[in-house]
Coordinates of all heavy atoms in Angstrom, one line a residue:
M556 N 57.3 115.9 94.1 CA 58.4 116.4 93.2 C 58.0 117.6 92.5 O 56.9 117.6 91.9 CB 58.7 115.2 92.2 CG 59.8 115.5 91.2 SD 61.4 115.6 92.1 CE 62.4 114.3 91.3
K557 N 58.8 118.7 92.5 CA 58.5 119.9 91.8 C 59.2 119.9 90.5 O 60.3 119.5 90.4 CB 58.9 121.1 92.6 CG 58.1 121.3 93.8 CD 58.3 122.7 94.4 CE 57.7 122.8 95.8 NZ 56.3 123.3 95.8
E558 N 58.4 120.2 89.4 CA 59.0 120.3 88.1 C 59.2 121.7 87.7 O 58.3 122.5 87.8 CB 57.9 119.7 87.1 CG 57.6 118.3 87.2 CD 58.6 117.4 86.6 OE1 59.4 117.9 85.7 OE2 58.6 116.2 86.9
I559 N 60.4 122.0 87.4 CA 60.7 123.4 86.9 C 61.3 123.2 85.5 O 62.3 122.6 85.2 CB 61.7 124.0 87.8 CG1 61.2 124.1 89.2 CG2 62.0 125.5 87.3 CD1 62.2 124.7 90.2
Q560 N 60.6 123.8 84.5 CA 61.0 123.8 83.2 C 61.6 125.2 82.8 O 61.0 126.2 83.0 CB 59.9 123.5 82.2 CG 59.3 122.1 82.4 CD 58.3 121.7 81.4 OE1 57.9 122.5 80.6 NE2 57.8 120.5 81.4
I561 N 62.8 125.1 82.2 CA 63.5 126.3 81.8 C 63.6 126.4 80.3 O 64.1 125.4 79.7 CB 64.8 126.4 82.5 CG1 64.7 126.4 84.0 CG2 65.6 127.7 82.1 CD1 65.7 125.6 84.8
C562 N 63.2 127.4 79.7 CA 63.2 127.5 78.3 C 64.6 127.7 77.8 O 65.4 128.6 78.2 CB 62.3 128.7 77.8 SG 62.3 128.9 76.0
I563 N 64.9 126.9 76.8 CA 66.3 127.0 76.2 C 66.1 127.4 74.7 O 66.9 127.1 73.9 CB 67.1 125.8 76.3 CG1 66.3 124.5 76.0 CG2 67.6 125.6 77.8 CD1 67.2 123.3 75.8
G564 N 64.9 127.9 74.4 CA 64.7 128.4 73.0 C 65.6 129.5 72.6 O 66.2 130.1 73.5
S565 N 65.6 129.9 71.4 CA 66.6 130.9 71.0 C 66.5 132.2 71.6 O 67.5 132.8 72.1 CB 66.7 131.0 69.5 OG 65.4 131.2 69.0
A566 N 65.3 132.7 71.8 CA 65.1 134.1 72.4 C 65.6 134.0 73.9 O 66.2 134.9 74.4 CB 63.7 134.5 72.3
C567 N 65.2 133.0 74.5 CA 65.6 132.9 76.0 C 67.1 132.6 76.1 O 67.7 133.0 77.1 CB 64.7 131.8 76.7 SG 63.0 132.3 76.9
H568 N 67.6 131.8 75.2 CA 69.0 131.5 75.2 C 69.8 132.8 75.3 O 70.7 133.0 76.0 CB 69.4 130.6 74.0 CG 70.8 130.3 74.0 ND1 71.4 129.4 74.8 CD2 71.8 130.9 73.2 CE1 72.7 129.4 74.5 NE2 73.0 130.2 73.6
V569 N 69.4 133.7 74.4 CA 70.1 135.0 74.3 C 70.0 135.8 75.6 O 70.9 136.5 76.0 CB 69.5 135.8 73.1 CG1 70.0 137.3 73.1 CG2 69.8 135.2 71.8
K570 N 68.9 135.6 76.3 CA 68.7 136.3 77.6 C 69.3 135.6 78.8 O 69.1 136.1 79.9 CB 67.2 136.6 77.8 CG 66.7 137.6 76.7 CD 65.3 137.9 76.9 CE 64.7 138.6 75.7 NZ 63.8 137.7 74.9
G571 N 69.9 134.5 78.5 CA 70.7 133.9 79.7 C 70.1 132.6 80.2 O 70.3 132.3 81.4
S572 N 69.5 131.8 79.4 CA 69.0 130.5 79.8 C 70.1 129.7 80.5 O 69.8 129.1 81.6 CB 68.6 129.6 78.6 OG 67.5 130.1 78.0
Y573 N 71.3 129.7 79.9 CA 72.4 128.9 80.5 C 72.6 129.3 82.0 O 72.8 128.5 82.8 CB 73.6 129.1 79.6 CG 74.8 128.3 80.2 CD1 74.8 126.9 79.9 CD2 75.7 128.8 81.0 CE1 75.8 126.1 80.4 CE2 76.8 128.1 81.5 CZ 76.8 126.7 81.2 OH 77.8 126.0 81.7
D574 N 72.7 130.7 82.2 CA 72.9 131.1 83.6 C 71.8 130.8 84.5 O 72.0 130.5 85.7 CB 73.2 132.7 83.6 CG 74.5 133.0 82.9 OD1 75.3 132.2 82.8 OD2 74.6 134.2 82.4
V575 N 70.6 130.9 83.9 CA 69.4 130.6 84.8 C 69.4 129.1 85.2 O 69.2 128.8 86.4 CB 68.1 131.0 84.0 CG1 66.9 130.4 84.7 CG2 67.9 132.5 83.9
V576 N 69.7 128.3 84.2 CA 69.8 126.8 84.6 C 70.9 126.6 85.6 O 70.7 125.9 86.6 CB 70.1 126.0 83.3 CG1 70.4 124.6 83.6 CG2 68.9 126.1 82.3
S577 N 72.1 127.2 85.4 CA 73.2 127.0 86.4 C 72.8 127.4 87.7 O 73.1 126.8 88.7 CB 74.5 127.7 86.0 OG 74.6 127.7 84.7
C578 N 72.1 128.6 87.8 CA 71.7 129.1 89.1 C 70.7 128.2 89.8 O 70.8 127.9 91.0 CB 71.2 130.5 88.8 SG 71.0 131.5 90.3
F579 N 69.7 127.7 89.0 CA 68.8 126.8 89.6 C 69.5 125.5 90.1 O 69.3 125.0 91.2 CB 67.7 126.3 88.6 CG 66.5 127.2 88.6 CD1 66.1 127.9 87.5 CD2 65.6 127.3 89.7 CE1 65.0 128.8 87.4 CE2 64.5 128.1 89.7 CZ 64.2 128.8 88.5
K580 N 70.4 125.0 89.3 CA 71.1 123.8 89.7 C 71.9 124.0 91.0 O 71.9 123.1 91.8 CB 72.1 123.4 88.6 CG 71.6 122.5 87.6 CD 72.8 121.9 86.7 CE 72.3 121.2 85.5 NZ 73.2 121.2 84.4
K581 N 72.6 125.1 91.0 CA 73.4 125.4 92.2 C 72.5 125.5 93.5 O 72.8 124.9 94.5 CB 74.1 126.8 92.0 CG 75.2 127.1 92.9 CD 76.0 128.3 92.4 CE 76.6 129.0 93.6 NZ 76.2 130.4 93.8
L582 N 71.4 126.1 93.4 CA 70.5 126.3 94.5 C 70.0 124.9 95.0 O 69.9 124.6 96.1 CB 69.3 127.2 94.2 CG 69.6 128.7 94.0 CD1 68.5 129.4 93.3 CD2 69.9 129.3 95.4
V583 N 69.6 124.1 94.0 CA 69.1 122.7 94.3 C 70.2 121.9 95.0 O 69.9 121.3 96.0 CB 68.7 122.0 93.0 CG1 68.4 120.5 93.2 CG2 67.4 122.6 92.4
E584 N 71.4 122.0 94.5 CA 72.5 121.3 95.1 C 72.8 121.8 96.5 O 73.0 121.0 97.5 CB 73.8 121.3 94.2 CG 73.7 120.4 93.1 CD 74.7 120.7 92.0 OE1 75.7 121.4 92.3 OE2 74.6 120.2 90.9
E585 N 72.9 123.1 96.6 CA 73.3 123.7 97.9 C 72.3 123.4 99.0 O 72.6 123.2 100.2 CB 73.2 125.3 97.8 CG 74.5 125.8 97.3 CD 74.4 127.3 97.0 OE1 73.4 128.0 97.3 OE2 75.4 127.9 96.5
Q586 N 71.0 123.3 98.6 CA 70.0 123.0 99.6 C 69.6 121.5 99.6 O 68.7 121.1 100.3 CB 68.7 123.8 99.3 CG 69.0 125.3 99.3 CD 67.8 126.2 99.0 OE1 66.7 125.8 99.2 NE2 68.1 127.4 98.4
G587 N 70.4 120.7 98.9 CA 70.2 119.2 98.9 C 68.8 118.8 98.5 O 68.2 117.9 99.1
L588 N 68.3 119.5 97.5 CA 66.9 119.2 97.1 C 66.8 118.3 95.8 O 65.7 118.3 95.2 CB 66.1 120.5 96.8 CG 66.0 121.4 98.1 CD1 65.5 122.8 97.7 CD2 65.0 120.8 99.1
E589 N 67.8 117.6 95.5 CA 67.9 116.8 94.3 C 66.7 115.8 94.2 O 66.2 115.5 93.1 CB 69.2 116.0 94.2 CG 70.4 116.8 93.9 CD 71.1 117.4 95.1 OE1 70.5 117.3 96.2 OE2 72.3 117.8 95.0
D590 N 66.2 115.3 95.3 CA 65.1 114.4 95.3 C 63.7 115.1 95.2 O 62.7 114.4 95.1 CB 65.1 113.5 96.5 CG 66.3 112.6 96.5 OD1 66.8 112.4 95.4 OD2 66.6 112.1 97.6
E591 N 63.7 116.4 95.4 CA 62.4 117.1 95.4 C 62.2 118.0 94.2 O 61.1 118.4 94.0 CB 62.4 118.0 96.7 CG 62.1 117.3 97.9 CD 62.2 118.2 99.1 OE1 61.4 119.2 99.1 OE2 62.9 117.9 100.1
V592 N 63.3 118.3 93.5 CA 63.1 119.2 92.4 C 63.7 118.6 91.1 O 64.7 118.0 91.1 CB 63.9 120.5 92.7 CG1 63.7 121.5 91.5 CG2 63.4 121.2 94.0
H593 N 62.9 118.7 90.1 CA 63.3 118.2 88.8 C 63.4 119.3 87.8 O 62.5 120.0 87.5 CB 62.3 117.1 88.3 CG 62.7 116.5 87.0 ND1 61.9 116.2 86.0 CD2 64.0 116.1 86.6 CE1 62.6 115.7 85.0 NE2 63.8 115.6 85.3
L594 N 64.7 119.6 87.4 CA 64.9 120.7 86.4 C 64.9 120.1 85.0 O 65.5 119.1 84.8 CB 66.3 121.3 86.7 CG 66.5 122.0 88.1 CD1 67.9 122.5 88.2 CD2 65.5 123.2 88.2
Q595 N 64.3 120.8 84.2 CA 64.2 120.3 82.8 C 64.3 121.4 81.8 O 63.7 122.5 82.0 CB 62.8 119.7 82.7 CG 62.8 118.5 81.7 CD 61.4 117.9 81.7 OE1 60.4 118.4 82.1 NE2 61.3 116.7 81.0
G596 N 64.9 121.2 80.7 CA 65.0 122.2 79.7 C 63.7 122.1 78.8 O 63.2 121.0 78.7
A597 N 63.3 123.2 78.2 CA 62.1 123.1 77.4 C 62.3 124.0 76.2 O 63.1 124.9 76.2 CB 60.9 123.5 78.2
F598 N 61.5 123.8 75.2 CA 61.6 124.6 74.0 C 60.7 125.8 74.2 O 60.0 125.9 75.2 CB 61.3 123.8 72.7 CG 62.4 122.8 72.5 CD1 62.1 121.5 72.6 CD2 63.7 123.2 72.2 CE1 63.1 120.5 72.4 CE2 64.7 122.3 72.0 CZ 64.4 121.0 72.1
C599 N 60.7 126.7 73.2 CA 59.9 128.0 73.3 C 58.5 127.7 73.8 O 57.8 126.9 73.4 CB 59.9 128.6 71.9 SG 59.0 130.2 72.0
M600 N 58.2 128.5 74.9 CA 56.8 128.4 75.5 C 56.0 129.6 75.0 O 55.0 129.9 75.7 CB 57.0 128.5 77.0 CG 57.9 127.5 77.6 SD 58.1 127.8 79.4 CE 59.4 126.6 79.7
N601 N 56.4 130.2 74.0 CA 55.6 131.4 73.5 C 55.5 132.5 74.6 O 54.5 133.1 74.7 CB 54.2 131.0 73.0 CG 54.4 130.1 71.8 OD1 55.2 130.4 70.9 ND2 53.6 129.1 71.7
A602 N 56.5 132.6 75.4 CA 56.5 133.6 76.4 C 57.8 134.4 76.4 O 58.2 135.0 77.4 CB 56.3 133.0 77.8
C603 N 58.3 134.5 75.2 CA 59.6 135.2 75.0 C 59.3 136.7 75.4 O 58.4 137.3 74.9 CB 60.0 135.2 73.5 SG 59.7 133.7 72.6
G604 N 60.0 137.1 76.4 CA 59.8 138.5 76.8 C 61.0 139.1 77.4 O 62.1 139.0 76.8
D605 N 60.8 139.6 78.6 CA 61.9 140.3 79.3 C 63.0 139.4 79.9 O 64.1 139.9 80.2 CB 61.2 140.8 80.6 CG 60.9 142.3 80.4 OD1 61.2 142.8 79.3 OD2 60.4 142.9 81.4
G606 N 62.7 138.2 80.0 CA 63.8 137.3 80.6 C 63.6 135.9 80.1 O 63.1 135.7 79.0
V607 N 64.1 135.0 80.8 CA 64.0 133.6 80.4 C 62.7 133.0 80.9 O 62.4 133.2 82.1 CB 65.2 132.8 81.0 CG1 65.2 131.3 80.7 CG2 66.5 133.4 80.5
A608 N 62.0 132.3 80.1 CA 60.7 131.7 80.5 C 60.9 130.5 81.4 O 61.7 129.6 81.0 CB 59.9 131.4 79.3
V609 N 60.2 130.4 82.5 CA 60.3 129.3 83.4 C 58.9 128.9 83.7 O 58.0 129.7 84.0 CB 61.0 129.8 84.7 CG1 60.9 128.6 85.8 CG2 62.5 130.2 84.5
K610 N 58.7 127.6 83.6 CA 57.3 127.1 83.9 C 57.3 126.2 85.1 O 58.2 125.3 85.3 CB 56.9 126.2 82.7 CG 55.4 125.8 82.8 CD 55.0 125.1 81.5 CE 53.6 124.6 81.6 NZ 53.2 123.8 80.5
Y611 N 56.4 126.5 86.0 CA 56.2 125.6 87.2 C 54.7 125.7 87.6 O 54.1 126.7 87.3 CB 57.1 126.1 88.4 CG 56.7 127.4 89.0 CD1 56.0 127.5 90.1 CD2 57.1 128.6 88.3 CE1 55.6 128.7 90.7 CE2 56.7 129.8 88.9 CZ 56.0 129.9 90.0 OH 55.6 131.1 90.6
N612 N 54.2 124.6 88.2 CA 52.8 124.6 88.5 C 51.9 125.2 87.5 O 50.9 125.9 87.8 CB 52.5 125.5 89.8 CG 53.1 124.8 91.0 OD1 53.4 123.7 91.0 ND2 53.1 125.6 92.1
D613 N 52.2 124.8 86.2 CA 51.3 125.3 85.1 C 51.3 126.8 84.9 O 50.4 127.3 84.3 CB 49.9 124.8 85.3 CG 49.8 123.3 84.9 OD1 50.6 122.9 84.1 OD2 48.9 122.7 85.5
Q614 N 52.2 127.5 85.5 CA 52.3 128.9 85.2 C 53.7 129.2 84.6 O 54.7 128.5 84.9 CB 52.0 129.8 86.4 CG 52.8 129.5 87.6 CD 52.4 130.5 88.7 OE1 52.4 131.7 88.4 NE2 52.1 130.1 89.9
I615 N 53.7 130.2 83.7 CA 54.9 130.6 83.1 C 55.3 132.0 83.5 O 54.5 132.9 83.5 CB 54.8 130.6 81.5 CG1 54.5 129.1 81.1 CG2 56.0 131.1 80.9 CD1 54.1 129.0 79.6
V616 N 56.5 132.2 84.0 CA 57.0 133.5 84.4 C 58.3 133.7 83.6 O 58.9 132.8 83.0 CB 57.3 133.6 85.9 CG1 56.0 133.4 86.7 CG2 58.3 132.6 86.4
T617 N 58.8 134.9 83.6 CA 60.1 135.2 83.0 C 61.0 135.7 84.1 O 60.6 136.4 85.0 CB 60.0 136.2 81.8 OG1 59.5 137.4 82.3 CG2 59.2 135.7 80.7
V618 N 62.2 135.3 84.0 CA 63.2 135.6 85.0 C 64.6 135.9 84.4 O 65.0 135.4 83.4 CB 63.3 134.5 86.1 CG1 63.9 133.2 85.5 CG2 64.0 134.9 87.3
K619 N 65.3 136.8 85.1 CA 66.7 137.1 84.7 C 67.5 136.3 85.7 O 67.1 136.0 86.8 CB 66.9 138.6 84.8 CG 66.1 139.4 83.9 CD 66.5 140.8 83.7 CE 65.8 141.4 82.5 NZ 65.1 142.7 82.9
P620 N 68.7 136.0 85.3 CA 69.6 135.2 86.1 C 69.6 135.7 87.6 O 69.5 134.9 88.5 CB 71.0 135.3 85.5 CG 70.7 135.5 84.0 CD 69.4 136.3 84.0
E621 N 69.7 137.0 87.8 CA 69.8 137.5 89.1 C 68.5 137.4 89.9 O 68.5 137.5 91.1 CB 70.2 139.0 89.2 CG 69.4 140.0 88.4 CD 69.7 140.1 86.9 OE1 70.3 139.2 86.3 OE2 69.4 141.2 86.3
G622 N 67.4 137.1 89.2 CA 66.1 136.9 89.9 C 65.8 135.5 90.3 O 64.8 135.2 90.9
V623 N 66.7 134.5 89.9 CA 66.5 133.1 90.2 C 66.3 132.8 91.7 O 65.4 132.1 92.0 CB 67.5 132.2 89.5 CG1 67.4 130.8 89.9 CG2 67.4 132.4 88.0
P624 N 67.2 133.3 92.5 CA 67.1 132.9 94.0 C 65.7 133.2 94.5 O 65.1 132.4 95.2 CB 68.2 133.7 94.7 CG 69.2 133.8 93.6 CD 68.4 134.0 92.3
A625 N 65.2 134.4 94.2 CA 63.8 134.8 94.7 C 62.7 133.9 94.1 O 61.8 133.5 94.8 CB 63.6 136.3 94.4
L626 N 62.9 133.6 92.8 CA 61.9 132.8 92.2 C 61.9 131.4 92.7 O 60.9 130.8 93.0 CB 62.1 132.8 90.6 CG 61.2 131.8 89.9 CD1 59.7 132.3 90.0 CD2 61.6 131.8 88.4
F627 N 63.1 130.9 93.0 CA 63.3 129.5 93.5 C 62.6 129.4 94.8 O 61.9 128.4 95.1 CB 64.7 129.2 93.6 CG 65.0 127.7 94.0 CD1 64.7 126.7 93.1 CD2 65.5 127.4 95.2 CE1 64.8 125.4 93.5 CE2 65.7 126.1 95.6 CZ 65.4 125.1 94.7
E628 N 62.8 130.4 95.7 CA 62.2 130.4 97.0 C 60.7 130.4 96.9 O 60.0 129.7 97.6 CB 62.6 131.7 97.7 CG 62.6 131.6 99.2 CD 63.2 132.9 99.8 OE1 64.4 133.1 99.6 OE2 62.5 133.6 100.5
K629 N 60.2 131.2 95.9 CA 58.7 131.3 95.7 C 58.2 129.9 95.2 O 57.2 129.4 95.7 CB 58.4 132.3 94.6 CG 57.0 132.8 94.5 CD 57.0 134.0 93.7 CE 55.7 134.0 92.8 NZ 55.8 134.9 91.7
I630 N 58.9 129.3 94.3 CA 58.5 128.0 93.8 C 58.5 126.9 95.0 O 57.5 126.1 95.1 CB 59.4 127.5 92.7 CG1 59.3 128.4 91.5 CG2 59.1 126.1 92.3 CD1 60.2 128.2 90.3
M631 N 59.5 127.0 95.8 CA 59.6 126.0 96.9 C 58.5 126.2 97.9 O 58.0 125.3 98.6 CB 60.9 126.0 97.5 CG 62.1 125.6 96.6 SD 61.7 124.1 95.6 CE 61.7 122.8 96.9
E632 N 58.0 127.5 98.1 CA 57.0 127.7 99.0 C 55.6 127.4 98.5 O 54.7 127.1 99.2 CB 57.0 129.2 99.4 CG 58.0 129.5 100.4 CD 58.2 131.0 100.6 OE1 57.5 131.8 100.0 OE2 59.2 131.4 101.4
A633 N 55.5 127.5 97.1 CA 54.2 127.2 96.5 C 53.8 125.7 96.7 O 54.6 124.9 96.7 CB 54.2 127.6 95.0
E634 N 52.5 125.5 96.8 CA 52.0 124.1 96.9 C 52.1 123.4 95.6 O 51.8 123.9 94.6 CB 50.6 124.1 97.4 CG 50.5 124.0 98.9 CD 51.4 123.0 99.5 OE1 51.2 121.8 99.1 OE2 52.2 123.3 100.3
Ligands
FES1991 S1 62.3 131.2 73.4 FE1 61.8 131.0 75.5 S2 59.7 131.4 75.5 FE2 60.2 131.7 73.5

């Protein structure tokens, strides 16, 4: 099971947390990965930056809504 945490803290919220979450949800549903991916909201990860903070495999990256498909692909390929 892959855990993907999406920051819904105030700075990330302003940068589009909601859209990032919806985009991840949509990809998971479209690809039928509900049993493999667990999406979770999280509070500020102290990575407020250019985009919305996303944590997976113990790393934190920031992403804009339009970058979610590429990031999702990367997460699914990562061990
Ligand atoms: S509010 Fe998202 S990392 Fe700080």
Side-chain angles (χ1 to χ4, degrees):
M556 182 68 119
K557 292 195 191 268
E558 296 278 341
I559 302 177
Q560 294 187 355
I561 299 143
C562 180
I563 50 167
S565 49
C567 290
H568 177 77
V569 170
K570 293 184 194 103
S572 292
Y573 181 80
D574 291 339
V575 167
V576 171
S577 325
C578 194
F579 270 117
K580 267 195 191 153
K581 193 169 154 241
L582 289 163
V583 167
E584 281 167 17
E585 275 173 8
Q586 299 178 29
L588 296 171
E589 289 91 342
D590 293 339
E591 283 178 54
V592 179
H593 183 222
L594 297 175
Q595 212 178 13
F598 294 112
C599 183
M600 304 174 188
N601 294 319
C603 322
D605 260 0
V607 176
V609 173
K610 185 174 180 189
Y611 68 99
N612 286 350
D613 285 331
Q614 52 177 312
I615 298 173
V616 296
T617 57
V618 68
K619 298 195 170 123
E621 59 271 27
V623 172
L626 176 62
F627 186 68
E628 207 173 296
K629 195 168 143 198
I630 293 174
M631 295 316 291
E632 279 168 6
E634 267 314 301

